[in-house]
Amino acid sequence: MRIVKNFLWNSSYQIFILIVPLITIPYVSRVLGTTGIGINAFTNSITQYFVLIGSMGLSLYGNREVAYVRDDKKKLSALFWELTILRAVLTFFAALLYIGFILISKEYQVYYWIQMITLIASLVDISWFFQGLENFKVSVLRNFFVKVVSLIFIFTMVKHHSDVGLYIFIIAASTFVGNLTLWPYLRREIVGIHIPDLHIARHIGPMIRLFIPQIAMQLYLQVNKTMLKYLVDVEASGFYDNADKIVKMILALVTSTGTVMLPYVANSFAQGLKEKVQRALNMSLQITLAMAFPAAAGVAAVAPEFVTLYFGPSFNAVAPLMMIESIIIVWIGISSVVGNQYLLPTNQLNAYTNSIVLGSVVNIILNFPLIELFGTPGAMWATMIAEFLVAGSQLWAIRHQVVFHDLFSETWKYLVSALVMLGGVRLTMVAASAYSLTLRLVAGIGVGVVTYVAILLLLRPHNLFSYAKILKGTRRI
């Protein structure tokens, strides 16, 4: 039942972090305006490159390695301190590079200095350790606290267009304090270790192998906002960021099984339980697809009305961006399962790396012509194509290891249910056009949920119903 409890903890947190930005983003968008949102998006995208250098793929690597040795407290303790010391060295190096970058920058220097807190916060982030232990309760409760505190500070302190720096500080500082709150829990999990017994260098090679896909992934997560600022303007970066935030919030819920399943699969793989690994892959993909298709259809269906009500009329350019990006919910859902929940824990790093590098290269190459031709929507199309190739590449890599019929036999049921749902939502929006935006959205979402569930019940996806039995505790993976 541990995996079910972890899934419920992680899912509840994903729902919570879905709600918090839904409360704060409309307020912040109106207070800071398109330029302020763009400045935050652009400077944060630059800072994340240095955070990446400081972490060097440690989160995924640490999560997996902890899952391998968690039954041996001495090995576990040595692993923790080896990775923590290595991260401190890397973050110090990244900080020196970042300070050098700030000193030669000609704009936004003040905001870069504030964003540096994000880099420092990554130094003390040990959530990977507790995720590897499959102890999600600790990190989830910590994150609940951090999000609530940051929400209070945003509403009470961010009041004017000139408060961009204050907004960045609140987000970064709350992350730093939140990361610190995990450290007291270490006393229960690790024991004392003699420094001569530590072998830090042994992790460098494997971490570099994971670092390569992390660089590639970060490039096509952040490079669009960076390129939009230079090829269009800083407001375009803000429009892209707002659309991306909404889609990624939905996506976080869809892929919530990923963080839970990685240590579970890694531990099963380490014990040689291959059948258990295969069953976990099948179950996880079914759950993800059952959520991904209606999520994508729902975002596309309500985007025009949602953006006007949520961000305000000055952000109407965000609506078509959300409609385009909604497609990636399905592609990333698949790659999250195959890549993060299967390739990584079963140590197939080459296939994982190749897929991420492919997506990154394609995204950057396509950005230049598509942004020049279509502006901000061009960046979204580039991202959508890149994510499709990532998912396709990973599926190709496992084609001889799994039976695709078992994985995708019921996908058509989710797709049909989602398409019917999309039509129902749009018809509801048109029929309710005389009413307020709020009522139209509520009615549309309500019709969408009922329609999707009803059609799915009629089509009766067997694997999804099997998962329901697991949640009830009457079946095991």
Side-chain angles (χ1 to χ4, degrees):
M1 287 296 292
R2 175 193 281 182
I3 192 170
V4 176
K5 290 179 181 178
N6 287 334
F7 175 74
L8 293 175
W9 272 109
N10 202 44
S11 295
S12 65
Y13 173 65
Q14 297 302 336
I15 293 171
F16 176 73
I17 64 172
L18 182 67
I19 294 171
V20 171
L22 286 175
I23 298 171
T24 59
I25 290 176
Y27 175 78
V28 172
S29 296
R30 286 166 172 80
V31 172
L32 301 184
T34 55
T35 301
I37 293 296
I39 290 172
N40 174 54
F42 172 68
T43 56
N44 183 259
S45 72
I46 297 295
T47 306
Q48 289 303 318
Y49 300 134
F50 296 92
V51 171
L52 180 64
I53 295 172
S55 63
M56 197 170 157
L58 184 141
S59 293
L60 282 175
Y61 175 76
N63 186 336
R64 188 189 68 183
E65 293 301 303
V66 168
Y68 286 158
V69 302
R70 68 188 184 200
D71 297 325
D72 187 324
K73 187 157 282 192
K74 188 174 181 180
K75 288 183 179 179
L76 180 66
S77 303
L79 174 69
F80 171 80
W81 286 115
E82 287 166 355
L83 294 182
T84 299
I85 292 170
L86 183 56
R87 185 170 205 163
V89 174
L90 292 170
T91 303
F92 178 74
F93 174 69
L96 292 178
L97 292 177
Y98 187 65
I99 291 171
F101 167 78
I102 295 174
L103 294 177
I104 63 174
S105 296
K106 295 181 179 179
E107 59 181 354
Y108 308 138
Q109 279 194 339
V110 172
Y111 303 116
Y112 284 131
W113 282 116
I114 302 172
Q115 293 278 16
M116 189 174 180
I117 300 172
T118 303
L119 178 58
I120 299 171
S122 70
L123 169 63
V124 294
D125 180 14
I126 55 171
S127 58
W128 52 271
F129 179 79
F130 291 96
Q131 289 168 2
L133 292 176
E134 294 191 72
N135 184 355
F136 287 84
K137 181 179 179 180
V138 170
S139 55
V140 166
L141 289 175
R142 181 279 310 260
N143 286 326
F144 271 118
F145 169 76
V146 171
K147 292 294 182 182
V148 170
V149 171
S150 64
L151 185 150
I152 293 171
F153 278 116
I154 287 171
F155 279 113
T156 57
M157 300 181 71
V158 179
K159 299 291 184 181
H160 307 287
H161 276 64
S162 58
D163 290 338
V164 177
L166 179 59
Y167 173 69
I168 295 172
F169 175 79
I170 291 171
I171 298 298
S174 62
T175 302
F176 174 72
V177 173
N179 289 344
L180 284 179
T181 61
L182 279 180
W183 284 78
Y185 294 96
L186 285 173
R187 291 176 298 177
R188 308 172 188 171
E189 309 294 348
I190 62 176
V191 295
I193 293 292
H194 296 293
I195 293 179
D197 294 336
L198 300 179
H199 302 284
I200 298 172
R202 69 188 178 97
H203 300 291
I204 296 176
M207 282 180 63
I208 289 175
R209 292 180 66 194
L210 266 181
F211 185 50
I212 295 172
Q214 289 294 296
I215 291 175
M217 186 180 297
Q218 196 67 27
L219 278 176
Y220 76 81
L221 285 175
Q222 302 296 337
V223 77
N224 289 342
K225 288 177 276 190
T226 306
M227 291 179 69
L228 281 169
K229 191 271 179 184
Y230 289 113
L231 296 178
V232 186
D233 55 37
V234 74
E235 289 187 352
S237 182
F239 290 147
Y240 180 96
D241 188 54
N242 268 358
D244 191 56
K245 279 179 180 176
I246 298 301
V247 173
K248 292 296 170 62
M249 280 191 288
I250 304 294
L251 192 57
L253 182 59
V254 171
T255 60
S256 59
T257 59
T259 308
V260 173
M261 295 299 288
L262 191 153
Y264 173 83
V265 174
N267 189 257
S268 299
F269 179 73
Q271 297 178 47
L273 305 174
K274 293 184 179 180
E275 289 186 6
K276 211 171 184 181
V277 171
Q278 294 282 349
R279 287 197 300 270
L281 173 67
N282 185 29
M283 186 194 79
S284 189
L285 187 61
Q286 297 302 322
I287 301 163
T288 300
L289 291 176
M291 294 190 292
F293 279 107
V299 169
V302 304
E305 292 81 4
F306 175 83
V307 167
T308 301
L309 177 67
Y310 190 65
F311 295 112
S314 61
F315 284 87
N316 280 344
V318 172
L321 304 182
M322 283 178 57
M323 296 174 75
I324 298 169
E325 194 178 10
S326 66
I327 303 169
I328 75 167
I329 294 175
V330 176
W331 306 143
I332 295 182
I334 293 172
S335 61
S336 170
V337 173
V338 178
N340 294 348
Q341 302 176 40
Y342 185 77
L343 292 177
L344 278 182
T346 57
N347 217 16
Q348 300 184 62
L349 294 183
N350 287 340
Y352 179 79
T353 299
N354 292 339
S355 68
I356 302 299
V357 170
L358 173 65
S360 179
V361 171
V362 169
N363 186 63
I364 293 171
I365 291 174
L366 290 179
N367 262 344
F368 287 101
L370 292 181
I371 291 176
E372 287 291 341
L373 288 172
F374 306 111
T376 315
M380 283 299 183
W381 282 114
T383 300
M384 191 274 291
I385 295 169
E387 293 291 358
F388 171 76
L389 292 175
V390 170
S393 175
Q394 292 181 358
L395 288 171
W396 179 260
I398 65 168
R399 66 192 185 281
H400 299 309
Q401 303 173 38
V402 299
V403 180
F404 278 173
H405 179 268
D406 292 342
L407 292 178
F408 295 102
S409 61
E410 296 185 319
T411 300
W412 69 272
K413 297 179 182 180
Y414 311 134
L415 175 60
V416 168
S417 300
L419 290 175
V420 173
M421 182 197 91
L422 190 153
V425 173
R426 286 314 306 166
L427 286 174
T428 302
M429 293 292 194
V430 173
S433 58
Y435 297 94
S436 68
L437 279 175
T438 303
L439 287 176
R440 285 157 62 187
L441 276 171
V442 171
I445 292 171
V447 168
V449 171
V450 171
T451 302
Y452 182 75
V453 172
I455 300 298
L456 209 57
L457 287 173
L458 288 174
L459 297 177
R460 298 186 63 79
H462 171 74
N463 286 314
L464 204 60
F465 292 160
S466 296
Y467 173 65
K469 292 179 181 179
I470 292 173
L471 274 182
K472 292 177 182 177
T474 58
R475 285 191 58 179
R476 303 184 118 190
I477 297 178

